[in-house]
Amino acid sequence: MTLADDGVTTEAVLYDVNDDGVAIITLNRPDRLNSWGADISAGVYAAFDRAEGDPDVRAIVLTGTGRGFCAGAYMGSMAALGESIDGDTDVSKIVGERHPHFLTTLRKPVIAAINGACVGIGLTHALMCDVRFAAAGAKFATAFPRRGLIGEYGITWILPRLAGWGAAADLLLSGRTFFAEEAAQLGLVKEVVPPEDLLPRTLEYAGDLARNCSPASMAVIKRQLYGDANDDVTDVSARAETLMHESMVRPDLIEGITAFFEKRPPNFPPLTEL
C-alpha cells in the first residue's frame, strides 16, 4: 500500500493475501463512500484477476474502507461524463469493461464484507458475490427509480433469486433504504455482526473455506449454482451426474475421505483447469 506524504492512501483498490490463502480486495475511496468509478473498476478487475490466477488463493473477500461498501456510481464522474459527450451518457465508461455478473464466473468463492452504504451498482456487485456478511446498521438501497434509472446490470436476475419475487419487486420499485438487519431477514446477507467484528468474522468464514474445502469442488459447485439457475431440473440432474463421476477420479476425493478418517484438516491440491 503506497502512502502520500500526508498519510492518505493513494490506491483506489487495495489487495492483500493472508496466511489462510484468502485474498482481501478493498475498495479504497472512503472520501466518496467508495462510489464506483473508472479508478475503482480498473483496480477491482486487476485484483480479481490476480486472485483468480494465484494458486495460493482459495477464497476472496471484497470489502470497503470507511463508512461505505460502495454507495453507487460516482456522480461526480457521471456529471463530467454527461458534459463531455453532450448528455449522451455512455455509462460503460463508469461501469468499466465488465458487468457485475463477472463475479459469478470466477472459480473461487467470493464473500462480501459489507461495511457500510451498499447502493445501486454497489448492491449489484454485493449480490453477485457468493456469500455476504454485513455490519449492523449498514444501509442498502437499489435507488434506481429514485434517480430515474432502471434495474441495472443483472440485479433483476439475482435479487428475486435471493429474496423472492415479492421482496425484489418492493426493493426495486420503491428504491427505498433498508438496513442490514432487514437484508438478513430477506436472505440477502448470511449474518449481521457488530462493525468491529465484520472483517474478522468474514475472514474466519473465508478461511474455513480456504483450509477445509476442495478448490476443485468449490469451482464446480459455483458453475453449477449459476449455470443451473434457468435449466430444467432433469437436465440439471443429468449434468450433475456427469460432474459427480468426474469428481470421483480427482485426488481431492481420496484426500477428503482420508482426512476425515484420520481426523485431520484436508490438504487439497491447488485449483487447476477443470
Side-chain angles (χ1 to χ4, degrees):
M1 179 170 62
T2 303
L3 298 177
D5 292 339
D6 59 1
V8 177
T9 57
T10 56
E11 293 105 330
V13 176
L14 307 179
Y15 182 89
D16 191 24
V17 179
N18 68 14
D19 292 339
D20 284 330
V22 177
I24 305 146
I25 298 173
T26 308
L27 309 186
N28 190 45
R29 283 289 183 259
D31 54 307
R32 64 182 203 231
L33 298 179
N34 300 315
S35 54
W36 192 268
D39 53 348
I40 283 183
S41 65
V44 161
Y45 303 147
F48 274 107
D49 286 348
R50 182 176 175 183
E52 180 80 342
D54 185 347
D56 292 329
V57 170
R58 300 195 172 198
I60 305 168
V61 167
L62 177 65
T63 191
T65 54
R67 298 182 298 110
F69 174 77
C70 177
Y74 182 36
M75 299 309 292
S77 293
M78 182 74 81
L81 179 61
E83 291 175 3
S84 66
I85 54 180
D86 298 324
D88 182 18
T89 305
D90 181 2
V91 294
S92 66
K93 295 182 180 179
I94 298 172
V95 174
E97 62 190 28
R98 306 178 203 177
H99 291 186
H101 69 77
F102 88 91
L103 295 172
T104 70
T105 70
L106 301 178
R107 300 178 300 163
K108 300 175 182 181
V110 182
I111 300 98
I114 302 169
N115 54 298
C118 184
V119 179
I121 196 168
L123 177 59
T124 305
H125 277 91
L127 297 181
M128 293 296 181
C129 294
D130 303 306
V131 181
R132 289 152 295 281
F133 292 78
K139 293 182 179 181
F140 294 72
T142 66
F144 306 126
R146 296 178 184 242
R147 306 291 183 269
L149 296 170
I150 52 83
E152 65 184 7
Y153 297 108
I155 195 170
T156 53
W157 181 86
I158 191 67
L159 186 54
R161 284 165 171 76
L162 296 174
W165 192 273
D170 162 39
L171 299 178
L172 287 166
L173 292 172
S174 71
R176 66 180 177 83
T177 296
F178 59 105
F179 293 87
E181 293 73 15
E182 182 179 357
Q185 292 174 354
L186 295 173
L188 299 182
V189 300
K190 171 177 164 49
E191 292 178 23
V192 177
V193 298
E196 64 272 17
D197 296 336
L198 175 65
L199 193 55
R201 172 64 184 120
T202 307
L203 291 175
E204 177 188 31
Y205 179 89
D208 177 62
L209 300 187
R211 293 189 305 272
N212 297 308
C213 296
S214 159
S217 293
M218 291 192 292
V220 173
I221 288 169
K222 278 197 65 168
R223 195 168 72 212
Q224 289 179 281
L225 272 171
Y226 299 107
D228 293 348
N230 290 319
D231 282 356
D232 177 85
V233 67
T234 303
D235 295 334
V236 168
S237 184
R239 189 162 56 242
E241 183 177 13
T242 300
L243 292 171
M244 178 63 75
H245 285 305
E246 292 174 358
S247 73
M248 293 180 74
V249 300
R250 281 195 290 267
D252 302 61
L253 176 64
I254 299 301
E255 173 59 17
I257 293 173
T258 303
F260 174 77
F261 282 112
E262 294 180 354
K263 295 181 170 57
R264 61 169 175 80
N267 183 25
F268 291 118
L271 184 63
T272 57
E273 295 298 327
L274 295 174

